[in-house]
Amino acid sequence: MSPTFTFAIFGNVYQHEKSAAVRQVLSCLQEHGARITIEDEYCDFLRCSELIDLVDMETFSGSDFQADFAISMGGDGTLLKTASLVRQKQTPILGVNMGRLGFLADVSAKDFPSTIDALYRGDYLVEDRALIEVESDGEAAFSSAEGIPGGCNCALNDVAILKRDTASMISIRASINSAERRAQGKSGEYLITYQADGLVVSTPTGSTAYSLSNGGPIIVPRTGVLLMTAVAPHSLNVRPIVIPDTAEIELTVTSRSHTFLVAIDGRSYKMPEGTTLRLRRAPYVVNVVKRPGTSYFSTLREKMMWGADVR
């Protein structure tokens, strides 16, 4: 007898042209007797756009759901949003790619039926992906109600510290506090003061995102490191650096405009200069569903267009 699964559906409210794929996904789940609940904002979009009949569909708001699996319908950005709402629930996320690149959301709509068949057979893998947790001091503390909506202070891809608009470059003083130093009660060891448009601190998962576009290396997921990559540094001697994810990164920012931006997986927040940020590996992970027979390296070759094997 097949198990009865509940699926929480998240989507991109800007993709009008994807209605056929949405119908296919929902129909496939209904054929398997699944219980379906849809994020209310996405459900309202589908109803108002008359893309699909969802009159009696169950909905939920934000992170107020209980499900066996979460399905992200969009690109990698939609999956990042889904991850920010799943948070400590650790519900496995299946990414259906309706975007362009799709490193994380790597299941196409046409492959969805076979993927769901495999899921119901138990023929799938769940990969745990590390997150970066951000803390700040002062009035703009991320733990405050005025900080990050819903208290989401973790990034699956990256945390970027950036100058605002057309402002001059910012100064970012970076110190590294290793696990050993923290155990001895010591403060962080000074690394460098970046003079740059910004700094990207990424997980291995996020190494193929913003960091890569700034010359950072590709790092295989689950490697156990954090990556620091400057954005348009003033000095050409400044290079990306990889540190163990047991360390804590402490950043203090000064700016001529007296403010700067912190972007957590693309969600940007204005911060006052002088704010100290502390970044470390989060105490929980995001679980991503992977199809059997797929690998990170094959996905990398495809998405980076590295070409066929030549022997």
Side-chain angles (χ1 to χ4, degrees):
M1 184 176 179
S2 298
T4 300
F5 289 136
T6 298
F7 293 86
I9 309 294
F10 298 81
N12 188 334
V13 300
Y14 303 106
Q15 294 182 313
H16 292 269
E17 71 279 8
K18 303 299 183 180
S19 57
V22 175
R23 292 191 188 94
Q24 182 178 1
V25 168
L26 294 180
S27 296
C28 179
L29 294 176
Q30 289 169 337
E31 289 171 3
H32 281 82
R35 175 173 168 256
I36 303 170
T37 179
I38 305 180
E39 181 189 20
D40 53 7
E41 183 182 3
Y42 186 48
C43 192
D44 288 344
F45 163 74
L46 295 174
R47 284 172 176 155
C48 293
S49 303
E50 298 182 352
L51 298 180
I52 193 168
D53 183 12
L54 298 174
V55 175
D56 299 319
M57 192 61 67
E58 183 180 343
T59 65
F60 65 92
S61 176
S63 60
D64 186 20
F65 70 92
Q66 294 296 328
D68 299 294
F69 298 93
I71 295 181
S72 167
M73 303 185 62
D76 283 354
T78 307
L79 195 144
L80 293 175
K81 170 194 169 185
T82 302
S84 73
L85 294 171
V86 168
R87 283 181 286 188
Q88 290 99 325
K89 293 177 186 291
Q90 300 200 2
T91 308
I93 302 171
L94 176 63
V96 180
N97 185 21
M98 298 183 182
R100 292 182 293 274
L101 201 55
F103 272 101
L104 291 168
D106 60 356
V107 177
S108 66
K110 67 180 179 63
D111 290 334
F112 185 79
S114 61
T115 301
I116 290 298
D117 287 343
L119 189 150
Y120 270 85
R121 294 194 306 269
D123 187 16
Y124 65 95
L125 301 173
V126 175
E127 290 187 357
D128 58 285
R129 299 294 182 92
L131 297 153
I132 299 173
E133 181 181 60
V134 191
E135 283 184 357
S136 72
D137 61 4
E139 296 178 358
F142 285 120
S143 58
S144 70
E146 291 85 19
I148 298 176
C152 183
N153 64 333
C154 290
L156 174 58
N157 260 3
D158 49 48
V159 176
I161 293 84
L162 303 167
K163 71 174 188 176
R164 293 191 63 204
D165 304 323
T166 58
S168 301
M169 70 176 73
I170 55 179
S171 297
I172 308 169
R173 188 183 192 278
S175 298
I176 308 297
N177 198 353
S178 66
E180 293 77 14
R181 293 179 65 89
R182 291 203 307 277
Q184 297 169 10
K186 297 180 180 179
S187 59
E189 182 178 0
Y190 174 68
L191 173 66
I192 185 177
T193 298
Y194 293 96
Q195 301 287 335
D197 285 355
L199 175 69
V200 181
V201 181
S202 72
T203 64
T205 297
S207 67
T208 51
Y210 195 12
S211 173
L212 183 64
S213 68
N214 284 284
I218 296 172
I219 299 176
V220 177
R222 307 171 78 183
T223 302
V225 298
L226 297 175
L227 171 61
M228 301 171 66
T229 307
V231 179
H234 183 263
S235 172
L236 295 178
N237 291 329
V238 175
R239 291 290 184 264
I241 183 169
V242 177
I243 65 171
D245 65 7
T246 54
E248 181 179 86
I249 302 169
E250 186 174 286
L251 305 172
T252 304
V253 184
T254 55
S255 167
R256 289 184 183 178
S257 65
H258 307 299
T259 57
F260 64 99
L261 296 178
V262 176
I264 302 175
D265 275 348
R267 305 180 302 274
S268 295
Y269 308 94
K270 184 175 71 172
M271 306 290 286
E273 76 165 337
T275 299
T276 297
L277 304 172
R278 284 172 293 278
L279 287 71
R280 65 180 73 88
R281 177 169 175 164
Y284 60 92
V285 298
V286 164
N287 293 314
V288 180
V289 176
K290 291 297 180 181
R291 296 169 292 164
T294 61
S295 74
Y296 176 77
F297 295 114
S298 63
T299 300
L300 191 63
R301 283 195 304 273
E302 176 189 352
K303 303 302 180 181
M304 301 296 291
M305 295 181 289
W306 283 349
D309 186 11
V310 178
R311 296 184 182 181

